[in-house]
Amino acid sequence: SQKIEQNSEALNIQEGKTATLTCNYTNYSPAYLQWYRQDPGRGPVFLLLIRENEKEKRKERLKVTFDTTLKQSLFHITASQPADSATYLCAPPSHTGFQKLVFGTGTRLLVSP
Amino acid sequence: ETGVTQTPRHLVMGMTNKKSLKCEQHLGHNAMYWYKQSAKKPLELMFVYSLEERVENNSVPSRFSPECPNSSHLFLHLHTLQPEDSALYLCASKKAHNNHNEQFFGPGTRLTVL
Protein backbone atom coordinates (compact mmCIF):
# COMPACT_ATOMS: atom_id res chain seq x y z
CA SER A 1 0.00 0.00 0.00
CA GLN A 2 1.07 3.63 -0.39
CA LYS A 3 3.33 5.01 2.25
CA ILE A 4 4.11 8.66 2.88
CA GLU A 5 6.98 9.46 5.21
CA GLN A 6 7.81 12.80 6.72
CA ASN A 7 10.30 13.40 9.47
CA SER A 8 8.26 13.16 12.65
CA GLU A 9 10.85 15.00 14.70
CA ALA A 10 10.51 18.76 14.89
CA LEU A 11 12.90 20.88 12.86
CA ASN A 12 14.36 23.76 14.83
CA ILE A 13 16.06 26.55 12.91
CA GLN A 14 17.04 30.14 13.44
CA GLU A 15 15.26 33.06 11.84
CA GLY A 16 16.69 33.96 8.46
CA LYS A 17 17.90 30.44 7.65
CA THR A 18 16.42 28.12 5.03
CA ALA A 19 14.21 25.31 6.29
CA THR A 20 14.13 22.10 4.26
CA LEU A 21 11.46 19.49 4.89
CA THR A 22 11.38 16.06 3.29
CA CYS A 23 8.54 13.90 2.00
CA ASN A 24 9.27 10.37 0.79
CA TYR A 25 6.73 8.10 -0.80
CA THR A 26 6.83 4.41 -1.65
CA ASN A 27 4.90 1.83 -3.63
CA TYR A 28 3.47 4.15 -6.26
CA SER A 29 4.16 7.11 -8.53
CA PRO A 30 1.85 10.08 -7.90
CA ALA A 31 1.04 12.44 -10.75
CA TYR A 32 1.32 15.39 -8.38
CA LEU A 33 1.88 16.27 -4.78
CA GLN A 34 0.38 18.99 -2.58
CA TRP A 35 1.86 20.70 0.45
CA TYR A 36 -0.23 22.12 3.29
CA ARG A 37 0.47 24.13 6.41
CA GLN A 38 -1.32 23.36 9.68
CA ASP A 39 -1.28 25.54 12.78
CA PRO A 40 -2.18 24.02 16.18
CA GLY A 41 -5.90 23.38 16.59
CA ARG A 42 -6.71 24.49 13.05
CA GLY A 43 -7.32 22.87 9.70
CA PRO A 44 -4.58 22.53 7.07
CA VAL A 45 -4.16 25.30 4.52
CA PHE A 46 -3.03 24.58 0.96
CA LEU A 47 0.33 26.05 -0.06
CA LEU A 48 1.61 24.55 -3.29
CA LEU A 49 1.02 21.82 -5.84
CA ILE A 50 3.78 20.31 -7.96
CA ARG A 51 3.18 17.98 -10.90
CA GLU A 52 5.37 15.01 -11.85
CA ASN A 53 6.66 16.81 -14.96
CA GLU A 54 7.75 19.83 -12.89
CA LYS A 55 11.12 19.68 -11.20
CA GLU A 56 10.56 22.77 -9.11
CA LYS A 57 7.78 25.17 -8.12
CA ARG A 58 8.12 28.49 -6.34
CA LYS A 59 5.78 30.81 -4.49
CA GLU A 60 7.30 33.80 -2.73
CA ARG A 61 9.71 32.34 -0.13
CA LEU A 62 8.51 28.77 -0.72
CA LYS A 63 10.08 26.28 -3.09
CA VAL A 64 9.04 22.69 -3.72
CA THR A 65 10.95 20.07 -5.70
CA PHE A 66 9.73 16.72 -6.97
CA ASP A 67 12.20 13.94 -7.76
CA THR A 68 10.31 11.01 -9.23
CA THR A 69 13.48 8.91 -9.37
CA LEU A 70 14.18 9.29 -5.66
CA LYS A 71 10.43 9.29 -4.90
CA GLN A 72 10.90 12.38 -2.86
CA SER A 73 9.64 15.94 -2.56
CA LEU A 74 11.53 18.67 -0.73
CA PHE A 75 9.86 21.76 0.69
CA HIS A 76 12.04 24.80 1.31
CA ILE A 77 11.28 28.02 3.15
CA THR A 78 13.95 30.65 2.57
CA ALA A 79 14.60 33.56 4.93
CA SER A 80 12.47 31.82 7.54
CA GLN A 81 10.51 33.82 10.10
CA PRO A 82 9.01 32.86 13.48
CA ALA A 83 5.58 33.16 11.79
CA ASP A 84 6.55 30.20 9.61
CA SER A 85 6.45 27.96 12.69
CA ALA A 86 3.78 25.34 11.98
CA THR A 87 3.38 21.73 10.87
CA TYR A 88 3.84 21.11 7.16
CA LEU A 89 2.01 18.24 5.51
CA CYS A 90 2.82 16.46 2.30
CA ALA A 91 -0.17 15.04 0.39
CA PRO A 92 0.01 13.09 -2.86
CA PRO A 93 -3.21 11.70 -4.34
CA SER A 94 -4.40 8.26 -3.38
CA HIS A 95 -3.63 5.61 -5.97
CA THR A 96 -7.12 4.24 -5.40
CA GLY A 97 -8.34 7.40 -7.00
CA PHE A 98 -11.30 9.55 -6.74
CA GLN A 99 -10.46 12.92 -5.35
CA LYS A 100 -8.57 11.53 -2.36
CA LEU A 101 -5.32 12.70 -0.87
CA VAL A 102 -3.05 10.69 1.40
CA PHE A 103 -1.52 12.89 4.08
CA GLY A 104 1.82 12.38 5.77
CA THR A 105 2.14 12.83 9.53
CA GLY A 106 3.70 16.22 8.93
CA THR A 107 6.89 17.83 10.14
CA ARG A 108 6.74 20.51 12.79
CA LEU A 109 8.92 23.52 12.04
CA LEU A 110 10.03 25.84 14.84
CA VAL A 111 11.73 29.08 13.81
CA SER A 112 13.35 30.92 16.68
CA PRO A 113 14.15 34.65 16.63
CA GLU B 1 -10.99 32.29 6.82
CA THR B 2 -11.13 29.44 4.31
CA GLY B 3 -14.84 29.60 3.50
CA VAL B 4 -15.50 26.35 5.35
CA THR B 5 -17.11 26.58 8.78
CA GLN B 6 -17.58 23.88 11.39
CA THR B 7 -19.74 23.79 14.48
CA PRO B 8 -19.33 23.21 17.30
CA ARG B 9 -15.63 23.98 17.68
CA HIS B 10 -15.43 21.91 20.86
CA LEU B 11 -17.62 19.04 22.02
CA VAL B 12 -17.51 16.89 25.11
CA MET B 13 -19.83 13.92 25.16
CA GLY B 14 -20.45 10.77 27.11
CA MET B 15 -20.35 7.36 25.50
CA THR B 16 -24.14 7.08 25.50
CA ASN B 17 -24.85 10.49 23.98
CA LYS B 18 -25.90 11.31 20.44
CA LYS B 19 -24.52 14.45 18.86
CA SER B 20 -23.90 15.87 15.40
CA LEU B 21 -21.07 17.83 13.84
CA LYS B 22 -21.92 20.33 11.15
CA CYS B 23 -19.87 21.61 8.23
CA GLU B 24 -20.85 24.33 5.79
CA GLN B 25 -18.93 25.63 2.79
CA HIS B 26 -19.55 28.90 0.97
CA LEU B 27 -17.21 28.24 -1.95
CA GLY B 28 -19.50 26.60 -4.47
CA HIS B 29 -17.62 23.32 -4.16
CA ASN B 30 -19.23 19.98 -4.91
CA ALA B 31 -17.04 17.50 -3.05
CA MET B 32 -16.88 17.33 0.73
CA TYR B 33 -14.81 15.26 3.15
CA TRP B 34 -14.65 14.22 6.79
CA TYR B 35 -11.24 13.51 8.30
CA LYS B 36 -10.17 12.40 11.76
CA GLN B 37 -6.90 13.70 13.18
CA SER B 38 -5.47 12.08 16.29
CA ALA B 39 -2.27 13.11 18.02
CA LYS B 40 0.90 11.97 16.24
CA LYS B 41 -1.10 10.33 13.43
CA PRO B 42 -1.73 11.47 9.86
CA LEU B 43 -5.13 12.73 8.81
CA GLU B 44 -7.42 9.75 8.34
CA LEU B 45 -10.01 10.06 5.61
CA MET B 46 -13.42 8.95 6.84
CA PHE B 47 -15.97 9.85 4.18
CA VAL B 48 -16.10 11.52 0.78
CA TYR B 49 -19.17 12.97 -0.85
CA SER B 50 -19.22 14.11 -4.45
CA LEU B 51 -22.29 15.78 -5.92
CA GLU B 52 -24.10 14.83 -2.69
CA GLU B 53 -23.44 11.11 -3.15
CA ARG B 54 -21.20 9.19 -0.80
CA VAL B 55 -18.34 7.84 -2.87
CA GLU B 56 -16.05 6.69 -0.08
CA ASN B 57 -16.53 5.11 3.30
CA ASN B 58 -13.10 4.32 4.58
CA SER B 59 -14.04 1.39 6.83
CA VAL B 60 -15.44 3.73 9.44
CA PRO B 61 -17.39 2.18 12.34
CA SER B 62 -21.16 2.54 12.11
CA ARG B 63 -21.24 4.73 15.22
CA PHE B 64 -20.22 7.49 12.78
CA SER B 65 -22.96 8.32 10.29
CA PRO B 66 -22.49 11.02 7.63
CA GLU B 67 -25.19 13.01 5.92
CA CYS B 68 -24.92 15.37 2.96
CA PRO B 69 -28.31 17.02 2.33
CA ASN B 70 -26.92 19.40 -0.32
CA SER B 71 -23.57 20.41 -1.77
CA SER B 72 -23.03 23.12 0.86
CA HIS B 73 -23.69 21.13 4.00
CA LEU B 74 -22.19 18.02 5.57
CA PHE B 75 -23.02 16.43 8.89
CA LEU B 76 -21.41 13.74 10.98
CA HIS B 77 -23.83 12.08 13.38
CA LEU B 78 -22.24 10.47 16.40
CA HIS B 79 -23.69 7.85 18.75
CA THR B 80 -22.30 5.49 21.37
CA LEU B 81 -18.76 6.66 20.80
CA GLN B 82 -15.68 5.29 22.53
CA PRO B 83 -12.95 7.28 24.33
CA GLU B 84 -10.54 6.42 21.48
CA ASP B 85 -12.79 8.43 19.16
CA SER B 86 -11.58 11.59 20.87
CA ALA B 87 -9.80 13.60 18.16
CA LEU B 88 -9.97 16.67 15.94
CA TYR B 89 -12.59 16.15 13.23
CA LEU B 90 -11.95 18.15 10.11
CA CYS B 91 -14.25 18.91 7.22
CA ALA B 92 -12.89 19.86 3.80
CA SER B 93 -14.32 20.76 0.42
CA LYS B 94 -13.08 21.14 -3.15
CA LYS B 95 -14.25 21.45 -6.73
CA ALA B 96 -14.73 17.87 -7.86
CA HIS B 97 -14.18 18.20 -11.60
CA ASN B 98 -10.40 18.43 -11.41
CA ASN B 99 -8.46 15.94 -9.34
CA HIS B 100 -5.61 18.45 -8.84
CA ASN B 101 -7.78 20.98 -7.03
CA GLU B 102 -6.73 21.68 -3.50
CA GLN B 103 -8.91 20.98 -0.50
CA PHE B 104 -10.17 23.77 1.73
CA PHE B 105 -10.41 22.80 5.38
CA GLY B 106 -12.58 24.05 8.17
CA PRO B 107 -11.16 24.82 11.62
CA GLY B 108 -12.22 21.45 13.00
CA THR B 109 -14.27 20.22 15.95
CA ARG B 110 -12.26 19.07 18.95
CA LEU B 111 -14.20 16.06 20.27
CA THR B 112 -13.67 14.56 23.70
CA VAL B 113 -15.49 11.35 24.60
CA LEU B 114 -15.66 10.62 28.31
Side-chain angles (χ1 to χ4, degrees):
Chain A
S1 61
Q2 315 174 234
K3 200 171 174 187
I4 314 302
E5 290 182 338
Q6 294 185 258
N7 193 343
S8 57
E9 291 192 16
L11 177 64
N12 288 277
I13 64 168
Q14 231 174 349
E15 184 175 9
K17 302 289 186 186
T18 296
T20 298
L21 309 178
T22 305
C23 174
N24 295 300
Y25 56 91
T26 54
N27 297 332
Y28 81 129
S29 299
Y32 64 90
L33 198 145
Q34 298 184 3
W35 282 88
Y36 288 77
R37 168 185 172 141
Q38 187 174 22
D39 291 284
R42 304 189 71 171
V45 175
F46 172 78
L47 296 174
L48 279 168
L49 177 149
I50 186 165
R51 292 179 170 80
E52 61 181 340
N53 61 350
E54 297 174 317
K55 294 289 185 195
E56 183 180 295
K57 196 82 167 277
R58 291 178 186 260
K59 179 182 175 183
E60 297 171 354
R61 294 183 296 110
L62 308 181
K63 184 178 88 171
V64 173
T65 63
F66 196 3
D67 189 325
T68 54
T69 303
L70 292 178
K71 293 188 180 292
Q72 181 180 81
S73 176
L74 298 179
F75 178 85
H76 307 270
I77 306 176
T78 57
S80 59
Q81 303 166 0
D84 295 326
S85 299
T87 296
Y88 292 87
L89 306 170
C90 158
S94 167
H95 73 292
T96 60
F98 205 79
Q99 314 283 350
K100 298 192 299 182
L101 295 173
V102 179
F103 284 86
T105 50
T107 299
R108 189 168 171 219
L109 174 66
L110 298 168
V111 182
S112 51
Chain B
E1 296 302 322
T2 63
V4 181
T5 58
Q6 289 187 246
T7 54
R9 293 295 309 277
H10 300 272
L11 179 62
V12 179
M13 58 187 288
M15 289 193 285
T16 57
N17 291 157
K18 287 185 183 181
K19 295 285 183 185
S20 295
L21 310 185
K22 179 182 175 182
C23 175
E24 185 172 358
Q25 56 95 3
H26 310 274
L27 302 167
H29 291 166
N30 48 15
M32 296 187 79
Y33 304 74
W34 279 118
Y35 290 89
K36 174 184 179 183
Q37 189 173 36
S38 306
K40 310 262 186 208
K41 290 175 120 181
L43 270 76
E44 298 172 49
L45 179 64
M46 299 175 73
F47 301 102
V48 181
Y49 277 82
S50 180
L51 301 173
E52 299 155 45
E53 275 195 44
R54 191 191 311 178
V55 297
E56 183 82 17
N57 175 346
N58 216 25
S59 304
V60 179
S62 60
R63 57 186 184 268
F64 295 91
S65 174
E67 179 190 0
C68 186
N70 55 61
S71 59
S72 298
H73 294 88
L74 186 65
F75 294 89
L76 188 63
H77 304 299
L78 316 171
H79 65 98
T80 58
L81 294 192
Q82 305 298 311
E84 60 265 28
D85 297 322
S86 299
L88 181 68
Y89 288 84
L90 291 160
C91 171
S93 71
K94 64 173 278 188
K95 291 181 187 175
H97 72 274
N98 185 336
N99 211 27
H100 291 69
N101 290 337
E102 69 267 31
Q103 295 183 18
F104 290 75
F105 285 82
T109 295
R110 173 67 62 185
L111 174 67
T112 303
V113 182
L114 302 176

